[in-house]
């Protein structure tokens, strides 16, 4: 009775919707172009509300479905509270259609949504913990590396101070030796002068 066009869209109510265009004039009460239920998952909120395949969606919570795209209709069906869906349902022989107003109860759906959100939060929490652990491990490794570098720098500073002390002691020792050498040289010079003077006096 109808020609299916465009992709299908799954909704959180357990429905699959399709935009369809009629090919004939049967059931003139039906719109020429409409959003129609394509599949209903047994036990879903849509099935509990008695939505059936080939039901034409007319209004959702009072909002007309005509000229709306599948994405908009799908978003309307994500309500967090109960709402009405006005449909047109064709008779088994397809010659006519009659309007129905169905009530969608969201308790089951809300529980599923909450469970899905909880699972998503847990997954995000696990991912966040993994990321935090990785960052903490990285920071600990960096801190350990900095501590090792600091210890090496401290060791080098101690070695440098020891070298400076050693050099200072050696410099002091060299200065003492230089003073001693200078004094010894002065004494030798004085003794040599005295010897020369004595020799001169002896010759005279």
């Amino acid at each position: 009775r109808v020609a299916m066009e465009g992709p299908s869209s799954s909704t959180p109510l357990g429905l699959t919707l399709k935009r369809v265009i009629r090919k004939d004039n049967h059931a003139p009460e039906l719109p020429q172009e409409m959003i129609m239920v394509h599949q209903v998952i047994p036990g879903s909120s849509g099935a509990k509300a008695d939505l059936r395949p080939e039901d034409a969606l007319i209004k959702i919570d009072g909002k007309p479905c005509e000229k709306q795209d599948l994405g908009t209709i799908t978003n309307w069906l994500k309500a967090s509270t109960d709402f009405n869906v006005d449909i047109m349902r064709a008779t088994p022989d397809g010659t006519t259609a009659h309007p129905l107003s169905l009530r969608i109860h969201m308790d089951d759906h809300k529980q599923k949504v909450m469970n899905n959100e909880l699972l998503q939060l847990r997954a995000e929490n696990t991912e966040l913990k993994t990321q935090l652990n990785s960052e903490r491990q990285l920071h600990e490794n960096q801190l350990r590396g900095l501590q090792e570098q600091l210890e090496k720098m401290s060791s080098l500073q101690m070695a440098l101070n020891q070298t400076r002390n050693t050099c200072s002691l050696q410099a002091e020792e060299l200065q003492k030796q230089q003073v001693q050498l200078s004094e010894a040289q002065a004494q030798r010079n004085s003794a040599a002068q005295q010897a020369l003077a004595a020799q001169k006096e002896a010759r005279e």
Side-chain angles (χ1 to χ4, degrees):
R1 294 194 301 272
V2 295
M4 299 291 184
E5 291 192 356
S8 63
S9 175
S10 298
T11 74
L13 300 180
L15 307 176
T16 301
L17 306 178
K18 272 187 176 284
R19 177 174 292 280
V20 300
I21 298 176
R22 298 176 57 199
K23 295 192 301 182
D24 52 40
N25 294 323
H26 290 218
E29 299 85 0
L30 293 173
Q32 189 68 25
E33 184 175 352
M34 55 192 162
I35 302 294
M36 180 174 282
V37 177
H38 182 55
Q39 293 177 333
V40 182
I41 297 176
S44 64
S45 298
K48 291 178 180 179
D50 196 31
L51 281 167
R52 304 175 187 177
E54 298 192 4
D55 283 346
L57 301 184
I58 305 301
K59 291 182 180 180
I60 296 176
D61 204 20
K63 294 176 286 189
C65 298
E66 187 178 4
K67 298 182 180 179
Q68 299 295 338
D69 56 38
L70 287 173
T72 300
I73 299 298
T74 300
N75 288 331
W76 287 355
L77 294 175
K78 292 179 180 179
S80 58
T81 57
D82 297 352
F83 60 93
N84 290 330
V85 175
D86 295 331
I87 65 170
M88 292 293 292
R89 177 173 294 168
T91 55
D93 58 8
T95 58
T96 186
H98 56 278
L100 288 174
S101 183
L102 305 179
R103 187 71 174 170
I104 304 294
H105 297 284
M106 301 302 294
D107 291 339
D108 293 341
H109 171 59
K110 285 192 293 185
Q111 186 63 43
K112 291 179 181 178
V113 171
M114 291 176 63
N115 289 340
N116 290 335
E117 290 178 349
L118 181 60
L119 290 175
Q120 183 177 0
L121 287 174
R122 287 177 177 173
E124 292 175 354
N125 187 42
T126 300
E127 182 179 358
L128 181 60
K129 284 183 178 179
T130 301
Q131 182 179 356
L132 289 175
N133 289 334
S134 298
E135 292 181 356
R136 183 176 63 184
Q137 186 65 37
L138 176 61
H139 292 162
E140 288 178 352
N141 292 337
Q142 291 176 343
L143 180 60
R144 190 177 299 110
L146 290 174
Q147 289 175 340
E148 291 176 354
Q149 291 180 2
L150 182 60
E151 291 175 357
K152 289 180 180 179
M153 291 179 64
S154 298
S155 299
L156 290 173
Q157 185 66 40
M158 291 177 60
L160 179 60
N161 292 336
Q162 290 177 355
T163 302
R164 285 177 178 174
N165 292 334
T166 301
C167 290
S168 297
L169 293 174
Q170 291 177 349
E172 291 177 359
E173 185 65 24
L174 287 174
Q175 287 178 351
K176 290 179 181 179
Q177 292 177 1
Q178 187 174 4
V179 170
Q180 292 174 355
L181 288 174
S182 297
E183 291 176 351
Q185 184 66 37
Q187 290 176 358
R188 286 196 295 270
N189 292 338
S190 177
Q193 289 177 358
Q194 289 177 1
L196 290 174
Q199 290 177 1
K200 184 177 180 182
E201 288 179 357
R203 284 197 298 268
E204 290 178 353

